[in-house]
Amino acid sequence: SSAVTNYRFEIRNESGELFYTNLPAGAGMNDTISVRTVTTGLSRDEGMHHADYITEDPNTGLSLLMVWAGEENAPYLSFGPADQRDSYNQYGWLFNGLDWEYSSDEDERVQAATLTLTCGVQWPLLASDLFFDDYQTYRERQQYLPTLAIAAAATSLLSLVLLFFFCRSAGYRRKVEGLTLNWQDRIPLDLYLVCLALGISVLLHGGDSASYHINQGANSTVTYVGFSFFALAIDALILACLHTCSVRIKARTLLRNTLIWRVLAWVGRFVRKVAMGWKVTKRPVLTFVLYLIGTVLTGVTIFLIPVYQGFVLWCLCRWVRQWRSIRDATAHIVGGDPDCHIDTLKMYPDLAEHAGQLNDLGSAINTAVDERMKSERFKTELITNVSHDLKTPLTSIINYVDLLKKEDILDPKAQEYIEVLDRKSQRLKKLTEDLVEASKASTGTLSVNREVLGFTQLLEQALGEYEVKFQAAGLTPVPSFPAQELYVEADGRHLWRVIDNLLGNCCKYAMQGTRLYLDVTNWNSTVTLVVKNISQNPLNIPSEQLMERFVRGEASRTTDGSGLGLSIARSLTELQGGDFRLDIDGDLFKVVVSFPACQPPTLAPSVIADESPVE
């Protein structure tokens, strides 16, 4: 009756005519909520009933709706889903409208018609029934929902924090430095995961059995303890898996400690052993054969072909990337950076061997350079120390020779000896000064005070001072200077020494009766001096060797030169930011000295004092 329940339904036949309903007069299904429409069957029972009623199944606790349809139709009607009518011994429409069950045996019923059942719950709830009681319980418990939500969020966050610290501390023990691997961390990961999956499956099966007994009303202590045991065991296995995975990740053995990795590593070692025994020309053949075998094997399962091809492409790209790193490192080493090191940890064997050789080459170059620099420093220090040690006795010799020259010595032989002593002592003084200056210039310890200088003007002054020496050497200077002055930024004292060494070298080694060409040009913002002359001795040594220390163009060493002039000139030129080049073509001796051109110095305007007329 609609007065004692909030449940509303109506039954219609195949033509849509209303067969039965418990809706009040004038009410419709639109006033209900949770409306469902189900097409079901009509059965006839031999039992005699004369009113609607609800029965309860003592085995399942389900409520069945029995409808009285009149004596001419059937004693009562019960409804169930048409697709399940042949699967159970009972059928009917449950009171809550959610589940279905049959209510009579197959022998006691005969299908008579197909009806459409539409059911729902009226709103608002007016009758005091199960729906009303559940709704009141929901309203009472609804006030606790915010508190329960906050508690659930807090406990979830706390669980995540505790899980983070659990994974972070995995593998570490008190008073033990580094990671400690236990017995489960040494089990291959894939075997460990298979055993874990089997264990969880067994526990889930046991937990499902305990849950079924609880649902069937077996609310005994043993059942609840068993269910809790299975749940805790599953949680323990999951935590153990997280623990060992965290340790393996920290120890970098997550993938390496697997049976699959070991098998692949064994295959790789076998292939490598076979391939390393082959010559370089046969290795590509072996690689191609292995590629074809892999293609055939993956071709059995079509979807594995893209995976295999992608793996091969990844290997090729990795090989190219490693080769590029080796090529870049080689360029760095050739470019003067022997400290460049190649990481060979994850390289292919052949590339790793080649990269290791390049690393050894860089170390060898570093060692050779260090030894060379050590030798150069030793030689420079030796020259500097010897030159300083020679200065003191040489100064005494020069002073005593000067005193002897001032004495009234009448013997001509003695006068000749004094002249020889004077000349040789001056030459020795010049040599020691050159030694000191050469060592300082090569090590870069000389101070450089750059200023804007007129280059052609400095050359003209030098030619004027060397005029007498040129005449004595039988040389005719042929200067070729531009009409306008050219300026360079250099140290005047060092630049003068460069020009002095070049002109002095010409006077010592140029052939008498020849011309000395001096050309000054300004090209591409560079001021260049070219000095050319003909050597009186054959120049049968390379130009680079001729610019080394103590090397002279004539092997007899009968001239006054020390073999340091060109070396000092080059060092001083480079020290000032210039360029020094020596070319030899037969007996033609050619030196090219160039400096960056600069603008002439800005002259300050003359300050003219205004004088007032004296009255």
Side-chain angles (χ1 to χ4, degrees):
S1 171
S2 60
V4 297
T5 180
N6 294 297
Y7 183 73
R8 299 288 182 265
F9 68 93
E10 62 180 11
I11 303 173
R12 297 182 181 273
N13 58 16
E14 295 180 354
S15 61
E17 297 177 356
L18 182 63
F19 181 77
Y20 187 84
T21 182
N22 70 343
L23 291 171
M29 292 301 298
N30 295 331
D31 300 329
T32 63
I33 59 175
S34 302
V35 178
R36 294 183 62 181
T37 301
V38 180
T39 301
T40 183
L42 172 65
S43 299
R44 177 173 180 173
D45 200 312
E46 297 299 333
M48 297 299 294
H49 301 280
H50 303 282
D52 301 342
Y53 69 97
I54 297 173
T55 66
E56 292 186 0
D57 191 339
N59 296 325
T60 62
L62 301 177
S63 299
L64 304 176
L65 173 64
M66 300 301 176
V67 180
W68 171 251
E71 186 68 29
E72 67 278 6
N73 293 317
Y76 69 89
L77 302 176
S78 58
F79 303 96
D83 57 345
Q84 296 181 6
R85 193 171 300 123
D86 296 332
S87 302
Y88 299 91
N89 293 328
Q90 294 180 348
Y91 68 96
W93 176 259
L94 290 188
F95 186 77
N96 56 11
L98 298 177
D99 298 312
W100 301 91
E101 187 148 330
Y102 288 90
S103 63
S104 64
D105 295 334
E106 183 71 22
D107 297 336
E108 298 177 355
R109 62 183 176 84
V110 177
Q111 184 172 352
T114 300
L115 302 179
T116 300
L117 171 66
T118 304
C119 59
V121 179
Q122 71 173 356
W123 186 260
L125 302 176
L126 300 178
S128 178
D129 61 353
L130 180 63
F131 297 104
F132 183 83
D133 295 339
D134 289 343
Y135 179 70
Q136 292 298 324
T137 303
Y138 168 75
R139 290 291 301 272
E140 292 174 358
R141 295 178 180 178
Q142 189 178 17
Q143 58 182 337
Y144 301 108
L145 290 180
T147 304
L148 293 176
I150 295 174
T155 53
S156 300
L157 181 60
L158 180 61
S159 300
L160 291 176
V161 172
L162 293 177
L163 185 63
F164 169 76
F165 284 105
F166 173 77
C167 296
R168 183 179 181 182
S169 61
Y172 296 104
R173 296 182 180 178
R174 291 183 178 180
K175 299 180 181 180
V176 178
E177 185 177 357
L179 288 173
T180 302
L181 303 181
N182 56 25
W183 62 269
Q184 73 167 353
D185 300 329
R186 295 183 175 88
I187 301 176
L189 182 61
D190 43 5
L191 180 61
Y192 182 90
L193 293 178
V194 170
C195 295
L196 178 68
L198 292 176
I200 292 179
S201 299
V202 172
L203 293 174
L204 286 176
H205 180 73
D208 183 65
S209 299
S211 177
Y212 173 78
H213 287 292
I214 293 175
N215 291 332
Q216 293 300 320
N219 300 327
S220 63
T221 304
V222 176
T223 305
Y224 283 108
V225 170
F227 182 80
S228 301
F229 168 76
F230 291 125
L232 291 176
I234 293 174
D235 293 339
L237 290 180
I238 294 175
L239 288 177
C241 181
L242 289 176
H243 184 278
T244 187
C245 288
S246 300
V247 175
R248 293 168 191 261
I249 291 174
K250 295 174 186 178
R252 298 182 179 180
T253 59
L254 184 65
L255 297 180
R256 295 181 180 274
N257 189 15
T258 57
L259 294 178
I260 297 175
W261 183 279
R262 294 179 182 180
V263 172
L264 293 177
W266 180 84
V267 173
R269 286 194 298 269
F270 175 76
V271 173
R272 191 182 304 116
K273 184 177 180 180
V274 175
M276 294 301 291
W278 285 21
K279 295 182 180 179
V280 178
T281 55
K282 294 183 179 180
R283 292 181 190 175
V285 177
L286 176 62
T287 305
F288 184 72
V289 171
L290 293 176
Y291 172 74
L292 291 180
I293 293 175
T295 304
V296 172
L297 293 178
T298 55
V300 177
T301 307
I302 301 299
F303 72 91
L304 287 180
I305 292 182
V307 177
Y308 177 71
Q309 300 289 354
F311 174 74
V312 173
L313 179 61
W314 177 80
C315 292
L316 291 175
C317 294
R318 183 176 174 220
W319 190 94
V320 172
R321 186 168 60 253
Q322 293 177 3
W323 172 250
R324 184 182 302 168
S325 65
I326 293 176
R327 186 182 61 185
D328 295 341
T330 305
H332 281 288
I333 294 175
V334 173
D337 183 15
D339 293 329
C340 183
H341 182 78
I342 308 173
D343 186 10
T344 61
L345 183 61
K346 298 181 181 179
M347 282 190 171
Y348 292 111
D350 290 350
L351 295 180
E353 181 181 0
H354 182 51
Q357 293 173 351
L358 287 177
N359 291 335
D360 295 338
L361 176 62
S363 301
I365 292 175
N366 268 334
T367 302
V369 170
D370 292 340
E371 292 294 332
R372 179 65 180 273
M373 294 298 295
K374 183 178 179 181
S375 176
E376 289 293 330
R377 286 195 299 269
F378 176 75
K379 289 193 296 184
T380 301
E381 292 175 359
L382 177 62
I383 292 173
T384 304
N385 294 333
V386 171
S387 300
H388 281 291
D389 292 340
L390 287 176
K391 276 187 176 181
T392 301
L394 181 59
T395 303
S396 300
I397 293 173
I398 293 174
N399 291 334
Y400 280 108
V401 169
D402 187 58
L403 292 175
L404 287 175
K405 289 171 63 176
K406 294 178 180 179
E407 293 292 331
D408 188 12
I409 300 175
L410 300 178
D411 189 355
K413 284 291 183 181
Q415 291 286 349
E416 184 179 352
Y417 296 155
I418 292 173
E419 291 296 332
V420 173
L421 286 173
D422 184 34
R423 188 170 62 255
K424 297 301 181 181
S425 62
Q426 293 296 332
R427 180 183 176 185
L428 186 58
K429 178 182 178 182
K430 182 68 167 57
L431 177 60
T432 55
E433 291 176 352
D434 289 345
L435 283 173
V436 174
E437 189 167 7
S439 63
K440 290 182 178 182
S442 61
T443 57
T445 57
L446 284 177
S447 60
V448 178
N449 299 319
R450 295 188 182 183
E451 57 182 345
V452 179
L453 303 173
F455 194 69
T456 56
Q457 181 181 1
L458 193 63
L459 281 174
E460 289 174 352
Q461 293 177 1
L463 290 176
E465 292 190 10
Y466 266 84
E467 184 177 358
V468 177
K469 295 181 181 180
F470 287 153
Q471 292 177 358
L475 296 177
T476 303
V478 182
S480 177
F481 299 157
Q484 296 180 350
E485 180 64 65
L486 300 179
Y487 294 92
V488 297
E489 187 177 5
D491 190 308
R493 182 171 57 89
H494 297 329
L495 184 57
W496 173 262
R497 184 61 187 275
V498 171
I499 298 173
D500 182 48
N501 284 5
L502 292 178
L503 297 182
N505 189 76
C506 295
C507 293
K508 295 172 185 176
Y509 302 109
M511 181 180 293
Q512 291 188 357
T514 59
R515 297 180 181 86
L516 172 62
Y517 294 91
L518 296 97
D519 299 330
V520 178
T521 58
N522 183 11
W523 177 258
N524 198 16
S525 300
T526 301
V527 177
T528 303
L529 167 64
V530 180
V531 180
K532 296 181 288 185
N533 67 277
I534 302 298
S535 175
Q536 62 183 356
N537 297 303
L539 298 175
N540 52 3
I541 58 176
S543 59
E544 288 296 328
Q545 184 179 351
L546 191 59
M547 285 193 293
E548 296 293 331
R549 298 177 188 174
F550 308 107
V551 177
R552 289 188 288 181
E554 51 94 17
S556 62
R557 304 181 67 88
T558 56
T559 60
D560 292 338
S562 61
L564 294 171
L566 292 179
S567 177
I568 294 174
R570 182 178 66 174
S571 298
L572 292 177
T573 301
E574 295 174 352
L575 192 64
Q576 299 174 87
D579 182 68
F580 189 96
R581 190 178 78 250
L582 174 62
D583 298 327
I584 296 176
D585 188 3
D587 291 337
L588 177 63
F589 180 88
K590 177 181 177 182
V591 176
V592 180
V593 179
S594 58
F595 288 92
C598 65
Q599 297 297 326
T602 303
L603 299 178
S606 301
V607 179
I608 303 176
D610 294 334
E611 298 182 358
S612 301
V614 180
E615 295 181 356

